[in-house]
Amino acid sequence: MVDQLSEAERADALDSLPDWDYNEGRDAITRTVVFTDFAEAFGFMTQVALIAERADHHPEWTNVWNRVEITLTTHDAGGLSERDVELAAAIDAILDG
Ligand SMILES: C[C@H](O)[C@H](O)[C@H]1CNC2=NC(N)=NC(=O)C2=N1
């Protein structure tokens, strides 16, 4: 069982994830990425999907053509957990790659 981050832990996590916005209502983090076209967007989603499946931790996301809107929160913890921070860092690594 994974625990929800404390306020202090959350603050540290958000400092390490400058490209992500905090959604207080959901206790979640969000990021929107715009790609050149759908193929690039879907290729990114495929990479994330494989990482998410291996981690058994999955994003909530929408894709419209070249735009992907991602929300990370941990349903089992009722809010943001270390798993979300780890997945966000993995997503950032793909985008910075
Ligand atoms: C049964 C399965 O391991 C759980 O439902 C996993 C799957 N992926 C998950 N993803 C997210 N974001 N939160 C969860 O609590 C979660 N739980």
Side-chain angles (χ1 to χ4, degrees), residues 2 52 56-60 71-77 83-84 87:
V2 63
D56 190 29
H57 193 71
H58 304 83
E60 298 174 13
T71 296
L72 301 179
T73 191
T74 303
H75 310 126
D76 294 342
R83 290 183 184 165
D84 301 304
L87 183 52

Side-chain angles (χ1 to χ4, degrees), residues 38-69:
F38 175 74
E40 240 197 56
F42 197 76
F44 162 75
M45 294 177 77
T46 301
Q47 293 179 79
V48 173
L50 295 174
I51 292 169
E53 193 57 13
R54 270 198 304 273
D56 190 29
H57 193 71
H58 304 83
E60 298 174 13
W61 48 6
T62 55
N63 163 239
V64 178
W65 192 58
N66 66 338
R67 182 186 181 87
V68 182
E69 296 185 6

